Amino acid sequence: MSRLSPAALLIVGAFMVPLFIELPVVLSFVGVELSMTASLGIGVVAFTLVLIWSEISEKPEAADA
Amino acid sequence: MSTPGETAGETVESAREMLPDNSFLIQYPHVSRVVRSLFLTAFVAFGIGAFMGVLQALHRTGIARIVASSDYYTLLTLHGVLLVIVFTIFFLAGVFTWANTRSLDRPPVSKRFTWFWVVTMSVGSAMAGIAILAGLIPSIGMSADVLFTFYAPLQAHPLFYIGLAVFIIGTWLAGIDWFRQYLAWRGENTGERIPLQSFMVLTTMLMWFIATMGVAVEVVVFLIPWSLGIVPAPNPLLTRTLFWFFGHPVVYFWLMPAYLLWYTVLPKIAGGRLFSDPLARVVFVLFLLLSTPVGIHHQYVDPGIAEGFKFIAMTNTMFLLLPSLLTAFTVVASIEHGARQRGGTGYFGWLKALPWRDPAFTGMTLAGLMFAAGGFSGMINAGMNINYLVHNTIWVPGHFHLTVGTAVALTFMAASYWLVPRITGRELYSRPIGLFQVVLWFVGMVFMSAAMHRGGLAGIPRRTAEPQYPQVTFETVAGSVGSLRLQLAFGGVLLFVSALLFLVNVGLTAMNNEPARGLDSALPPALSGPEQSPTVLDNLKLWALIAVVLVILAYSLPLYSIVQGAGLYPPGQEATPAVLAPLLEVIA
Ligand code: HEM
Ligand SMILES: [Cu+2]
């Protein structure tokens, strides 16, 4: 049993988009250069991690929770 | 579900029998029909407008130029007029017809009168739409490539202006219809507080009556006679000022119906109750008072208006933030109350208890969230000094795609998922598609609007088919201009896909033979009810009077000095091509 339903994943994913779109801008304020492609790449990795966290529950008893 | 052999009509009849007696459709079948026909026009306009939107996004970024750049203004005019005049106003007319009927618990006084304004609005829109579309076919010799602001001396075919005037008259008649409905209710309910939704409809319409005076004078006194060749070209500053007299309050005309939905429908969907009825009334009164005397904030760079008047407009604008901040507080408090009723706990844990699976809830909430971002960029626009940085750049469309393009448009789409089953009696075709669609709009808009804001800061102009200049390189804060272009176009494509999904979902709902479930549209009473507020809040005459006085204070001197300055018809003003000709000679 996954921790997040498809709908919840959709919402979490949606909320991550503005964060990674604005990340290069925020970093540029402190002189760090990050390209948009790299930032969105990090976003994809972050979302994949959320997905893995959601699908793999460590405790087996959580499986039927 | 239909069984073979049954005709669709029979199925609907039997489906209707399964609806509860207190559902809106059963109580007011005729009003439901009116709302359906208004929504239909709104959705057709939305579909065409969204298509123009994606064409523009691809065109101006140079990714795909499907039409000639010389036709860009035809597309852009169609996009602006269909989306912010036809889609928004037809939809809100439907919402107001529903809300006024529901909350007063009585239909409009005369069916005939109601259909009369629906037809008037439709004929006006069709006239303006035909005039714009004709611009794509040169042999017709008719065009209206004047954008939705129709600044003189850009000139459109008379059909465009006449259509606009007819449309506005239609909206006035609609307002009169809703007031008559209210007065009939008042006759039987002396001394009672105006039901909240009706209060919102009436204050909005009072604001609209005042606001449209500007555009009515502009169009009827100046633009129609000019386009017919009866009078010379008007003073451009005068017609611009009259336009913005209407052009700012019109944004509240779009927004107040969205607020109506956030205040009354959203708490119900979230499982709670409105936090405060008096606060909601205060907000609508503030909008009535402050919406109009601020229009000059769109004219900060116009020469011929003294800086002092611009400063007054700026001050009023900053006050206008107040009702929106009050709304943010009240709506979030109502949603939190709903979440706690559903068992949510903790400082932030209650967020998990909200009905995120429901496209109506999620759509309206995302719309509200984006409105907060739009409010911030709006404060930049409103500041006299910093406005110069962003004026007429693509930043400005970036701003209003968050406000009217999302806070309003996404709220309307989300509300449709809730409202369309109530006026058709048919179950929503697909909630998962609905959820995906509203989230896709949010994501698409994040891409497109962020790119527009940043492009604007770099100086990229708006209203330009090919904003690529060999002599100029735009300096961006982060990333390259190329990546901003991709981002804008990608967001535009996502938005267009989202719009299509919406239309398909609503279209299939209208043909769905499954009867709608859970149709109860009674609204739970507010936590703090109207009895706790002073009755003067319901004194519509008083507020309307103060609103008129404020408008006179804000506009009489500027208008006087504009007319004093260059007169009504300054010599040497002619239609655009003539004005541009000498300029082109100089360049050549
Ligand atoms: C499919 C979704 C949409 C896309 C891809 C889109 C795209 C665009 C683009 C690229 C522009 C700028 C054109 C330029 O300045 O050169 C624009 C302008 C505009 N958009 Fe949209 N838009 C969309 C939806 C909407 C919605 C829903 C609304 C309002 C309800 C809206 C209202 C406007 C207005 C008023 C303008 C300004 C027109 C003018 O400058 O005269 N758009 N849109
Ligand atoms: Cu404004």
Side-chain angles (χ1 to χ4, degrees):
Chain A
M1 183 64 191
S2 43
R3 292 181 216 238
L4 295 177
S5 66
L9 275 173
L10 187 66
I11 306 281
V12 170
F15 279 124
M16 291 172 75
V17 177
L19 297 183
F20 288 97
I21 284 199
E22 292 304 330
L23 184 64
V25 182
V26 175
L27 287 181
S28 75
F29 293 156
V30 291
V32 178
E33 242 181 77
L34 180 73
S35 76
M36 188 52 92
T37 325
S39 181
L40 289 179
I42 300 173
V44 171
V45 172
F47 183 72
T48 314
L49 290 179
V50 172
L51 200 65
I52 294 172
W53 168 82
S54 159
E55 294 305 312
I56 299 172
S57 323
E58 312 126 41
K59 297 181 216 135
E61 62 268 34
D64 39 27
Chain B
M1 286 286 139
S2 67
T3 49
E6 252 179 340
T7 68
E10 281 169 8
T11 331
V12 175
E13 285 315 313
S14 58
R16 279 202 187 172
E17 279 163 23
M18 294 165 69
L19 299 178
D21 286 341
N22 64 352
S23 57
F24 189 83
L25 181 65
I26 299 297
Q27 280 183 300
Y28 306 105
H30 178 257
V31 181
S32 298
R33 243 183 83 205
V34 172
V35 179
R36 283 201 299 273
S37 92
L38 289 165
F39 279 10
L40 179 66
T41 311
F43 295 153
V44 170
F46 178 69
I48 305 174
F51 181 52
M52 298 303 135
V54 71
L55 291 184
Q56 287 153 211
L58 295 172
H59 192 108
R60 53 169 295 140
T61 52
I63 288 172
R65 298 206 160 132
I66 293 159
V67 298
S69 288
S70 55
D71 281 335
Y72 189 74
Y73 266 30
T74 312
L75 304 193
L76 195 53
T77 308
L78 209 56
H79 181 72
V81 170
L82 285 184
L83 286 169
V84 298
I85 305 286
V86 183
F87 162 58
T88 47
I89 298 182
F90 271 84
F91 191 88
L92 75 85
V95 169
F96 279 6
T97 305
W98 165 78
N100 215 34
T101 303
R102 201 208 61 79
S103 68
L104 297 173
D105 207 2
R106 64 186 313 129
V109 179
S110 147
K111 285 185 186 176
R112 228 191 239 188
F113 188 76
T114 303
W115 283 114
F116 182 60
W117 63 255
V118 174
V119 170
T120 309
M121 276 174 65
S122 310
V123 169
S125 315
M127 287 164 78
I130 289 169
I132 303 169
L133 270 174
L136 290 175
I137 310 164
S139 57
I140 301 181
M142 181 197 281
S143 75
D145 305 332
V146 290
L147 306 179
F148 82 106
T149 43
F150 47 89
Y151 294 142
L154 275 179
Q155 195 183 48
H157 190 274
L159 190 68
F160 175 79
Y161 301 118
I162 295 171
L164 217 60
V166 171
F167 173 79
I168 299 275
I169 291 169
T171 62
W172 288 345
L173 297 176
I176 291 172
D177 200 17
W178 297 322
F179 266 94
R180 285 173 72 193
Q181 200 176 354
Y182 160 70
L183 290 175
W185 172 88
R186 181 49 92 200
E188 295 170 13
N189 298 273
T190 32
E192 266 187 55
R193 299 304 293 257
I194 308 174
L196 183 61
Q197 283 187 325
S198 181
F199 181 86
M200 293 171 161
V201 172
L202 301 179
T203 41
T204 306
M205 291 318 290
L206 285 175
M207 187 278 288
W208 181 244
F209 289 137
I210 298 173
T212 41
M213 289 302 149
V215 75
V217 172
E218 179 193 8
V219 170
V220 174
V221 177
F222 295 102
L223 300 182
I224 294 179
W226 170 52
S227 66
L228 291 170
I230 301 170
V231 301
N235 178 347
L237 185 57
L238 176 62
T239 43
R240 279 168 74 89
T241 307
L242 289 172
F243 178 83
W244 287 112
F245 179 108
F246 146 90
H248 185 78
V250 75
V251 314
Y252 290 101
F253 194 47
W254 307 322
L255 205 55
M256 286 157 82
Y259 279 18
L260 179 150
L261 294 164
W262 294 355
Y263 275 110
T264 62
V265 174
L266 189 55
K268 180 185 164 78
I269 300 179
R273 289 157 62 181
L274 172 61
F275 182 69
S276 164
D277 171 298
L279 213 51
R281 285 178 205 250
V282 168
V283 165
F284 276 71
V285 167
L286 283 174
F287 278 133
L288 165 58
L289 297 184
L290 291 174
S291 289
T292 314
V294 298
I296 290 178
H297 70 206
H298 291 266
Q299 298 177 277
Y300 286 147
V301 300
D302 281 18
I305 298 181
E307 296 297 293
F309 297 137
K310 296 177 182 171
F311 186 81
I312 293 171
M314 172 171 76
T315 313
N316 286 346
T317 307
M318 296 302 173
F319 275 113
L320 202 42
L321 286 171
L322 185 69
S324 287
L325 294 175
L326 286 176
T327 300
F329 169 76
T330 316
V331 172
V332 174
S334 311
I335 293 179
E336 180 181 345
H337 174 257
R340 297 203 186 277
Q341 293 305 106
R342 298 165 68 100
T345 50
Y347 275 125
F348 293 107
W350 57 270
L351 285 168
K352 282 189 296 196
L354 289 168
W356 293 105
R357 253 168 231 271
D358 184 342
F361 174 82
T362 302
M364 285 198 226
T365 306
L366 292 176
L369 201 68
M370 289 218 118
F371 188 55
F376 289 125
S377 66
M379 285 183 223
I380 310 279
N381 302 344
M384 261 174 94
N385 47 358
I386 202 159
N387 175 275
Y388 297 136
L389 181 67
V390 296
H391 199 88
N392 263 341
T393 68
I394 191 76
W395 162 289
V396 176
H399 158 75
F400 61 63
H401 281 89
L402 293 179
T403 53
V404 66
T406 301
V408 174
L410 185 55
T411 296
F412 286 0
M413 287 185 259
S416 302
Y417 291 134
W418 188 82
L419 211 46
V420 168
R422 283 172 168 72
I423 51 158
T424 57
R426 295 157 192 266
E427 182 70 3
L428 178 61
Y429 174 73
S430 165
R431 279 160 67 104
I433 295 180
L435 184 66
F436 180 73
Q437 182 267 317
V438 294
V439 171
L440 188 63
W441 189 274
F442 174 84
V443 171
M445 199 53 93
V446 167
F447 273 92
M448 185 171 93
S449 170
M452 285 175 159
H453 278 96
R454 269 160 45 204
L457 287 178
I460 300 177
R462 69 183 283 203
R463 294 182 158 177
T464 308
E466 300 180 13
Q468 290 89 19
Y469 312 96
Q471 310 88 330
V472 182
T473 34
F474 296 111
E475 297 283 340
T476 56
V477 177
S480 65
V481 171
S483 77
L484 281 184
R485 284 196 192 117
L486 274 180
Q487 192 184 322
L488 193 162
F490 178 64
V493 171
L494 294 189
L495 286 167
F496 180 62
V497 173
S498 171
L500 282 185
L501 287 177
F502 168 75
L503 292 173
V504 168
N505 206 358
V506 167
L508 290 175
T509 302
M511 293 186 283
N512 194 357
N513 285 330
E514 205 179 321
R517 292 182 298 267
L519 278 192
D520 173 26
S521 27
L523 300 178
L527 288 171
S528 154
E531 62 288 347
Q532 312 199 3
S533 66
T535 44
V536 66
L537 273 181
D538 283 14
N539 190 341
L540 297 178
K541 279 191 196 129
L542 174 71
W543 301 121
L545 190 75
I546 299 179
V548 170
V549 170
L550 286 178
V551 170
I552 293 173
L553 285 179
Y555 269 104
S556 51
L557 279 177
L559 283 175
Y560 175 78
S561 68
I562 288 168
V563 176
Q564 277 295 300
L568 295 179
Y569 305 104
Q573 279 291 331
E574 277 166 51
T576 342
V579 172
L580 282 182
L583 203 80
L584 293 175
E585 272 169 30
V586 174
I587 295 171

